[in-house]
Amino acid sequence: MKLNSDLSIQNAEQLHSALEAEYEKGDELSLDASDVSRIDTTIFQILAALKIKLKSENTDLTINEPSAEFVGSAELLGLAAFFELPRAQIV
């Protein structure tokens, strides 16, 4: 599933519904975060709760091709290792 570029609290309900629909399919969830240019704490809370839920069901949430903004924000929140993200590139 491809994530939108703007993942702010205003998009949280829409993202939650989309993730629930993907979850109902019963497969491991894979998210393409390559276009994310803005993400806030609320979205990370939703993703973390989903990852924990999936792990308890012996499956996982994978973040593919995370943008620098996604990785940098995860690092600021101390969540980069939790989501198994690569280290942000400092330019």
Side-chain angles (χ1 to χ4, degrees):
M1 178 179 141
K2 187 150 183 86
L3 296 176
N4 294 332
S5 61
D6 183 7
L7 296 176
S8 61
I9 194 167
Q10 290 81 11
N11 311 81
E13 189 174 336
Q14 177 186 1
L15 177 64
H16 186 266
S17 295
L19 290 170
E20 275 187 345
E22 288 295 315
Y23 169 79
E24 292 299 321
K25 294 178 182 176
D27 297 327
E28 180 174 303
L29 276 175
S30 180
L31 303 179
D32 178 345
S34 60
D35 289 342
V36 174
S37 59
R38 179 179 174 202
I39 184 167
D40 67 21
T41 305
T42 304
I43 303 302
F44 278 113
Q45 289 172 326
I46 291 169
L47 295 177
L50 179 60
K51 186 169 179 73
I52 290 167
K53 183 176 185 172
L54 289 171
K55 284 246 186 220
S56 75
E57 297 172 357
N58 295 316
T59 189
D60 204 2
L61 172 68
T62 305
I63 309 293
N64 294 316
E65 301 180 37
S67 67
E69 181 64 30
F70 189 100
V71 174
S73 295
E75 285 182 349
L76 285 174
L77 294 169
L79 294 171
F82 176 77
F83 286 111
E84 302 170 37
L85 300 173
R87 292 191 51 94
Q89 297 288 328
I90 299 173
V91 220

